Amino acid sequence: MRKGIFTALLLLTTILQTFSQERYTVSGRIRDVADGEVLIGASVRVDSLKTGAATNEYGFYSISLPEGAHELEYHYIGYQHHRVRIRLQKDTSITIELEARASTLEEVVVTAQREDENVKSMEMSTVKMDINTIQKMPALLGEVDIVKSLQMLPGVSSVGEGAAGFNVRGGGIDQNLVLLDEAPVYNTSHLFGVFSVFNPDAVKDVKLIKGGIPSQYGGRISSMLDVRMKDGSNKKLEMNGGIGSIFARIAVEGPIVKEKGSFILAGRRSYMDLFTRAFIEDLKDTRFNFYDLTLKANYKTGKRDHLYLSGYLGRDVFGQGTDFGFDNGNRTVTLRWNHVFGKKLFLNTSAIYSHYDYGFFAGDIQIDGVDWSSDIINYSVKPEFTWFLNNRNTLKFGGQGIFYLFKPVNARVSSGTTLNDISMDNQYAREGAVYISNEQQLGDRWMLEYGLRYSLFQYMGDVAYTFADTVPGAEKRLESVARSDSRGVIKSYGNLEPRVAVKYDTGPTSSVKASYNRMAQYLHLISNTSAAAPTDRWIPSNNNIKPQLADQLALGYFRNFLDNAWETSLEVYYKDMKNQIDYIDGADLLLNEHLDGSLLSGKGRAYGMELYVRKAKGRLTGWLSYTLARSERKVEGINRNNWYPNRFDQTHRLNLTGSYRLNKRWEFGANLVFSSGTPTTFPTNRIEIQGYVVPHNVYESRNNYRIPSYHRLDLSATFYPKKYEERKKWDAFWVFSLYNVYNRRNPFSVFFRSNEDHPTTTEAIKYSVFGSVVPAVSFNFSF
Amino acid sequence: MIDVGLDKGYSQLSVDAFITDLPGTQQVRLTHTGDYFHNQDLPPALGASVFIRDEKGHTYSFTDTGDTGTYSYTPDGRRAMVEAGNTYTLHISYQGEEYEAVSTARPAPPVDSILYAYKGEKDVQFEEEEGYYASFFAMDLPGKGDYYWIKSFRNGIFYDKPAYINLSEDGAFTNTGLDGQLFIEPIREGITPWDDPFQLGDEVKVELHAINADTYHFLTILSEQTNSSGLFDPPPANVPTNIKNTDPDSGEAALGWFNVAMVSVSKAKIE
């Protein structure tokens, strides 16, 4: 410990030493000239001093330079760079607007600028996708989808086509922290997983961190998905929208006060039900739709202050008149305040509300009915400081406080005319975290990032159950119940989460990066089915359920070729996971006060190699990603206590995606996807009980077989009609797509059953979600 | 449907012993488990000694007269074998191994009535077929912890598909906490399959079996494991067993289940 303090002091001294020179700060924001959107991760460089800085999530940068004349160069991928000459005599504020490079034939010209962010930055195991890239990829039913696009990247997978959520480096879907403008999103799916909840019209960019996760993020052990919404144009009123096979979309954006504030309001809704209801009399009472609304507004209240308000509301609705209904969805609100102290200290404070719920009813609650709802609600405050200490050190520190309210089941059921309340107790918890980290340049070639996060979680009741130990795999017997509505702390967990990363430049266009991080997770999604369902609920850690912990080591080599036209990386990782949740056979997860007694705890490990090759420039762009991976579990009471592969484990995963710009009218896209089959459990024997043929595995194996592998080709063509281009006020394009071109019936799962007509004859059934080629057309416009 | 190869297992003794207080012969079926895809009758376990002893010391011998693996006992009519609250132990001696299982008979509430209504073209929803949809009416017994298996028959033939398995805890679904009330509507209506409802002239028969708590758990898993749909299935798992080898050190284990249930029956004719 004393040695640690000494090292910290030594580092601090080197940091402070750089203060002695006479230096001034240049700070400001980097924006898009067209609509005033701030650019995240844009860079400013002073080549003569071999120094530079990048903008943070709010487009803010700060760089410290010695007194005198300098030439500053501003860069952002896909934008023309911009040079500014200054004579620095005092702290100076410079806000720059960059212009997007014309996206037509000029792209073929190889520019002289260095787009080597992937090699030079500290980040590893991180992928960023801008919405333009996502929009060019062929999509299922022509609907641009952020979560599906992520699955084209190395290390990201899904248990099967159409399943909710995504898996990162062998982690479960609940181990990803999904943030929409900093608000956690508890369910990322519309229609059980066929579409994701993010409206692409309102999204600016997407960043997924799989490893080397910086200290400011915590709460999930596998990854962090940061979805940032557009701010809206602060120059002029714009409207864009479209009609696809599923959604009708419309978005309006524009200035509130020119150059000072802007807004965007985007909505989309599935419209299938409107058609069917109009034409089919029998379906007029049928409800079947999903929609989402996204709103964001920002306003610059002063030279140093900027306010942002973001909101999201999404809903899936199914039902039949007054017979039954089901609906579920997320809603989030984020209020953010950016403040710059002096020239070097940037503060963002966010206040966040997030709520996921589902509900259903059947029949009439007065006579023979049920109505049911389940909610998870959280309120959170998050102050985060970025201190651009000097050109060699950027300090980040801050904290977060979260209050959780769980309403696991709020329900009434009637039988005859007797009404019963069958609700379960509400649960309360709070989570707090503080962190500090520093990104430090050491010499010309080394860069370090080191930080520490401390998280604390407190379960506050109302109820705590104690269980007796039993044989592994059996339900634990309830020993005692303690109930109190005083909201006192029943169980506390604290975790120190160190995060370290190092980068070494091995050459002008190559680097080696390594990282270690520890993550703690206090919320768990209770889901025991092959695909997660919207009725799966989140539960807090408590006196029985320990927080999940993960340690991850990652090592990577990054190299660009041909003037950064080709970006490549090769990474390996190893992840060790503790307190992973599993379930006894036949566990009731829906309405079980003693759920903890049906849970098992085990450990997990995941390891793999990821190769990524991207062509970033030219008429033809795209990437290839290959993942070789393993994700396993060991749980007392399952698979005779031996390691077994997770249900979403895929040995090989190969994705190829490309887009080719033929001319001003046409652009073509293709995806080619291959993945090894996921594991499942096959029986060995059969038993007959009361005439039912029951499968049985004498070895008590779990996931002892692989279903057939998955592969698919998608094609798309985008057409830009001439007339709109000439009119200039209008812009429009058509997207034609074919999903699963060669019509493969890809398996989602293989299961066993008795033949419908001959119960003693058994058969294996291959289940496919999309069993055929899916064509689609969408029309998109903006003006 | 696809062809898949399976790991080779080994055969084990399997016991199928659901004893009731229904009049007539009671059966215990002993078989050897077979390969999962071996679509033929399971090989019978012959030459076993099978008897049930209750806590009052009465013994009921089950005999396999035709060498079919089905061991039967027919009550002589002087005294009922199954009585409420009585605990029964099944004993099996087979190939030098001794097996035992225990179950307690629990009373079943009466089925008060069966009602039915016709659903025509206008009334059916989704995949429902047209026909007569029957419901049974019964009150759960007072006191929590009553478990039921509701079996439905058309013209004496059991609706035997796994999808039709109809189970209830205290007249409702699992863990609702309801007690002593009318069985809830989905269970009342569960006696009519949506894809094969009753037709004019049919006889509806409902048997309400009062089963043990662990039998309810067993049948719940059996139902889950035989009703896979592909997308939202729990992980494949073995059904549990309550058949124990009396020698804990023996390597031979048996599978299957023993339950003693009291049953109430009601019938109605669709007219």
Side-chain angles (χ1 to χ4, degrees), chain A residues 109-162:
Chain A
V109 182
V110 178
T111 57
Q113 69 188 50
R114 283 164 43 186
E115 288 160 327
D116 52 1
E117 181 72 8
N118 59 317
V119 170
K120 294 295 172 197
S121 85
M122 192 66 237
E123 286 173 341
M124 68 179 302
S125 312
T126 298
V127 263
K128 293 175 198 166
M129 284 175 101
D130 64 78
I131 197 71
N132 296 331
T133 310
I134 296 173
Q135 278 169 338
K136 282 179 187 171
M137 293 163 63
L140 172 64
L141 290 157
E143 297 295 346
V144 173
D145 192 301
I146 284 164
V147 170
K148 297 280 178 293
S149 305
L150 286 174
Q151 291 166 13
M152 295 298 289
L153 296 166
V156 188
S157 63
S158 153
V159 69
E161 194 166 38

Side-chain angles (χ1 to χ4, degrees), chain B residues 1-41:
Chain B
M1 223 168 92
I2 58 164
D3 280 334
V4 293
L6 300 179
D7 282 342
K8 187 89 184 141
Y10 49 84
S11 191
Q12 285 173 285
L13 177 64
S14 171
V15 179
D16 181 11
F18 280 72
I19 304 299
T20 67
D21 66 345
L22 287 168
T25 302
Q26 298 299 313
Q27 295 179 335
V28 172
R29 188 165 169 243
L30 301 186
T31 53
H32 291 280
T33 61
D35 288 346
Y36 183 73
F37 281 133
H38 189 70
N39 289 323
Q40 285 170 26
D41 288 342

Side-chain angles (χ1 to χ4, degrees), chain A residues 38-68:
Chain A
V38 297
L39 301 173
I40 300 168
S43 61
V44 53
R45 264 201 293 271
V46 181
D47 280 343
S48 58
L49 299 172
K50 282 189 183 168
T51 188
T55 56
N56 69 5
E57 293 84 350
Y58 302 91
F60 181 83
Y61 73 95
S62 172
I63 183 169
S64 152
L65 300 169
E67 192 173 350

Side-chain angles (χ1 to χ4, degrees), chain A residues 543-745:
Chain A
N543 53 312
N544 300 307
I545 304 164
K546 292 195 182 113
Q548 303 183 48
L549 297 175
D551 292 289
Q552 187 187 182
L553 277 170
L555 179 70
Y557 179 67
F558 297 77
R559 169 133 202 207
N560 290 0
F561 296 95
L562 296 175
D563 208 9
N564 300 307
W566 292 82
E567 296 173 4
T568 64
S569 66
L570 182 71
E571 291 192 45
V572 290
Y573 65 89
Y574 184 88
K575 195 151 62 176
D576 178 78
M577 293 168 275
K578 292 185 182 70
N579 307 327
Q580 303 296 288
I581 289 178
D582 225 306
Y583 310 87
I584 65 161
D585 295 335
D588 170 33
L589 307 182
L590 194 62
L591 186 61
N592 188 353
E593 292 273 9
H594 313 140
L595 175 68
D596 304 357
S598 298
L599 301 183
L600 303 172
S601 177
K603 54 185 180 179
R605 64 185 179 201
Y607 45 92
M609 183 200 82
E610 297 167 358
L611 174 70
Y612 184 56
V613 178
R614 173 167 176 246
K615 185 168 184 293
K617 295 177 188 173
R619 279 173 184 258
L620 178 69
T621 55
W623 67 82
L624 175 141
S625 76
Y626 169 70
T627 311
L628 175 68
R630 181 67 73 232
S631 170
E632 294 172 312
R633 252 178 200 211
K634 189 175 187 299
V635 181
E636 293 285 310
I638 297 179
N639 199 41
R640 292 192 176 162
N641 311 333
N642 294 313
W643 286 96
Y644 63 92
N646 270 313
R647 179 67 183 83
F648 47 82
D649 180 57
Q650 288 167 348
T651 311
H652 303 281
R653 202 174 161 89
L654 181 77
N655 299 310
L656 190 62
T657 185
S659 127
Y660 181 75
R661 184 93 196 200
L662 180 70
N663 53 36
K664 287 187 175 181
R665 300 266 165 282
W666 288 96
E667 189 163 4
F668 299 96
N671 291 335
L672 184 63
V673 176
F674 171 88
S675 58
S676 307
T678 52
T680 188
T681 311
F682 282 9
T684 56
N685 290 69
R686 64 160 74 185
I687 325 173
E688 281 180 31
I689 298 289
Q690 296 294 290
Y692 301 109
V693 178
V694 185
H696 187 81
N697 185 304
V698 292
Y699 308 108
E700 295 167 11
S701 314
R702 172 69 65 92
N703 294 343
N704 59 337
Y705 264 89
R706 297 267 165 184
I707 68 172
S709 55
Y710 179 103
H711 49 90
R712 196 187 80 223
L713 172 71
D714 313 325
L715 296 173
S716 70
T718 307
F719 175 62
Y720 303 87
K722 192 174 181 181
K723 56 175 180 175
Y724 297 114
E725 194 184 305
E726 282 170 351
R727 280 215 235 141
K728 209 65 188 162
K729 273 226 163 252
W730 265 78
D731 211 353
F733 60 96
W734 293 83
V735 181
F736 307 91
S737 63
L738 284 175
Y739 181 89
N740 193 12
V741 171
Y742 53 80
N743 198 17
R744 180 175 156 83
R745 274 196 75 229

Side-chain angles (χ1 to χ4, degrees), chain A residues 323 368 415 420 686 699, chain B residues 8 39 125 175 181-182 188:
Chain A
D323 293 344
D368 289 325
S415 186
N420 308 275
R686 64 160 74 185
Y699 308 108
Chain B
K8 187 89 184 141
N39 289 323
Q125 289 182 352
N175 281 327
Q181 298 184 11
L182 183 66
R188 298 196 310 254

